[in-house]
Amino acid sequence: MMSKKTVFPKPPLALLDLARRACARAAAALLLTGVALALPAGAENVLRVSAIPDESPTELQRKFAPLGDYLSKETGMEVRFVPVSDYAAVVEALAAKKVDLAWLGGFTFVQAKRRTNGGATPLVQRAEDEKFTSRFIVPAASTAKSLADLKGKTFAFGSPSSTSGHLMPRHFLQQAGIDPERDFKTIAFSGAHDATVAFVASGRAEAGVLNASVLDKLTEAGNPNASKVRVLSTTPPYFDYNWTARGDLDPALAKKITAAFLKLDANNPEHKEIMQLQRATRFIPTRASNYDGIEAAAQAAGLLK
């Protein structure tokens, strides 16, 4: 069977940053309107896929293109990528059945699980996501030697709903005796991991925190912003990203998608580009209970209602 082609529709109009009220119902209605315009409901033989915008829109689509073509070949369906403006849009799209599969961070998965009353189903994660970390960064010339030295400084998190760019770093800061609202001079939310590096490199923030994998990628690519910062501290490991299906997705299709991910092999030349772009050595099955620790951290931080 000849596979369908991966389709990238134009992204919906940019929406307001929802900050800590990312799942507010009024904003969700606007977000879903944008998704609905990009993707009519009831489309047949189309696998609708989205992702949290943890990097720039162009980078997300570059990363997804070969994976989308692969999933199209494995499922026999047209795979359509649905870009969104912020993390809350993915949660609401899953809840409203506007997308079938989504790349989520651990915290976003917890939000989706709660929003769907347990309906969101995590299928697979990268092996790397079992022991994920975040890195606190400062300008290369900073004299800071420990997290304690960041008190009184301006600080940048990523998105408010980011696991590796906000929730877990906040959790570990609090464990170290640092209350961000009390101890930092100001707090900014850059919106994405690469943007956090730009904030610190440009002096818009005196320190920040981001996904370790993104920082590695930027460094390997010779990104000029990455060369202007250094790592101050790395968090302990935690579970993070996964691919999640909407709860009522056809079980046979969910099984086929899972099998496709598990077949990916970094040593297979046909899969090499996919795995490099996904920064994965292999994909493994995952389950909702893997993210119980993240849910507990979010509740303790007052980020869940």
Side-chain angles (χ1 to χ4, degrees):
M1 177 185 296
M2 184 173 293
S3 64
K4 305 289 185 180
K5 184 179 180 181
T6 305
V7 177
F8 296 99
K10 294 181 179 179
L13 296 175
L15 300 172
L16 296 175
D17 183 1
L18 300 183
R20 294 179 69 179
R21 298 181 180 180
C23 293
R25 291 185 180 276
L30 290 174
L31 293 168
L32 288 178
T33 298
V35 175
L37 288 173
L39 190 65
E44 295 182 1
N45 204 39
V46 175
L47 181 66
R48 305 164 300 177
V49 183
S50 192
I52 55 172
D54 59 347
E55 296 183 81
S56 69
T58 53
E59 178 62 10
L60 288 178
Q61 293 201 0
R62 185 181 78 89
K63 286 169 56 177
F64 182 75
L67 176 61
D69 289 340
Y70 170 76
L71 290 176
S72 180
K73 178 181 177 181
E74 292 295 311
T75 62
M77 302 174 69
E78 177 184 321
V79 175
R80 189 174 299 178
F81 185 70
V82 184
V84 294
S85 58
D86 58 30
Y87 286 47
V90 182
V91 173
E92 293 302 326
L94 277 171
K97 305 176 185 179
K98 297 295 184 181
V99 298
D100 306 306
L101 182 70
W103 172 245
L104 303 179
F107 184 29
T108 326
F109 166 70
V110 168
Q111 292 174 314
K113 183 187 71 170
R114 292 166 68 97
R115 181 69 178 83
T116 60
N117 296 315
T121 305
L123 302 180
V124 296
Q125 64 184 78
R126 299 170 301 187
E128 290 77 1
D129 294 313
E130 288 187 301
K131 296 181 178 180
F132 210 77
T133 59
S134 300
R135 291 183 186 152
F136 292 91
I137 59 171
V138 293
S142 172
T143 59
K145 296 180 180 179
S146 69
L147 292 178
D149 294 332
L150 301 183
K151 290 183 178 182
K153 306 291 188 183
T154 56
F155 191 87
F157 288 112
S159 165
S161 292
S162 173
T163 310
S164 53
H166 181 215
L167 171 61
M168 296 311 290
R170 175 181 283 272
H171 172 70
F172 292 122
L173 282 169
Q174 291 172 331
Q175 285 192 337
I178 298 173
D179 181 325
E181 279 69 30
R182 179 193 67 207
D183 294 324
F184 293 145
K185 182 177 181 181
T186 61
I187 294 174
F189 289 94
S190 73
H193 299 294
D194 47 3
T196 297
V197 178
F199 268 48
V200 177
S202 67
R204 291 182 64 183
E206 295 172 281
V209 66
L210 73 151
N211 171 327
S213 181
V214 171
L215 182 59
D216 286 343
K217 181 172 71 172
L218 293 174
T219 301
E220 291 164 9
N223 180 277
N225 288 325
S227 68
K228 297 176 183 178
V229 303
R230 65 177 176 84
V231 176
L232 177 68
S233 180
T234 300
T235 68
Y238 53 88
F239 278 95
D240 202 353
Y241 296 88
N242 68 55
W243 283 99
T244 292
R246 59 181 171 85
D248 62 346
L249 188 68
D250 178 2
L253 177 56
K255 185 176 181 179
K256 187 178 291 187
I257 292 169
T258 300
F261 274 104
L262 298 182
K263 277 173 53 179
L264 285 168
D265 180 358
N267 295 317
N268 183 335
E270 294 183 3
H271 300 166
K272 184 176 181 180
E273 181 184 18
I274 295 171
M275 300 301 273
Q276 286 180 337
L277 288 172
Q278 297 299 312
R279 299 192 68 82
T281 53
R282 63 192 176 100
F283 283 89
I284 59 177
T286 191
R287 57 185 183 273
S289 61
N290 284 341
Y291 306 93
D292 288 350
I294 288 175
E295 185 167 9
Q299 288 176 322
L303 298 178
L304 286 174
K305 294 181 180 179

